[in-house]
């Protein structure tokens, strides 16, 4: 759970981590009622980027944020956009 404050409203995001499952194995049951999806990849692994790119091509209104799980770079901005 991640609480994000926008103006005077607090929005709670429920985030699920699929623990590196291949994107093609994630079925609609995981995201049927979702308002948004974060598809992440490892910049140091080209196969990781290739796998997520194909999956993202099937989504509408996709945004791209370059973030770092290691440093936290752009994570707050991403969460605000998602909220």
């Amino acid at each position: 759970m991640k609480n994000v404050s926008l103006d005077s409203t607090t929005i709670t995001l429920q985030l699920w981590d699929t623990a590196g499952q291949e994107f093609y194995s994630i079925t609609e049951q995981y995201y049927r009622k979702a308002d948004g999806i974060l598809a992440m990849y490892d910049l140091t692994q080209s196969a990781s980027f290739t796998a997520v790119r194909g999956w993202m091509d099937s989504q509408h209104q996709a945004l791209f944020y370059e973030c770092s799980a290691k440093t936290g770079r752009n994570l707050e901005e991403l969460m605000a956009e998602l909220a």
Side-chain angles (χ1 to χ4, degrees):
M1 304 296 260
K2 168 74 174 168
N3 291 321
V4 178
S5 296
L6 296 175
D7 299 322
S8 61
T9 304
T10 299
I11 298 170
T12 301
L13 303 175
Q14 183 182 30
L15 304 171
W16 292 12
D17 185 348
T18 60
Q21 292 180 22
E22 294 295 329
F23 292 104
Y24 61 81
S25 70
I26 299 174
T27 62
E28 187 179 333
Q29 69 181 341
Y30 283 102
Y31 58 86
R32 182 177 322 147
K33 295 181 181 180
D35 293 319
I37 297 171
L38 300 176
M40 305 174 102
Y41 63 94
D42 182 346
L43 186 62
T44 65
Q45 301 292 322
S46 62
S48 172
F49 176 75
T50 301
V52 76
R53 184 170 179 100
W55 196 78
M56 286 300 297
D57 286 344
S58 69
Q59 298 303 310
H60 300 283
Q61 300 175 357
L63 299 174
F64 178 82
Y65 277 81
E66 188 171 298
C67 301
S68 172
K70 183 177 180 179
T71 67
R73 180 176 159 249
N74 283 339
L75 290 179
E76 291 301 317
E77 294 84 351
L78 172 63
M79 293 299 139
E81 184 67 36
L82 185 59

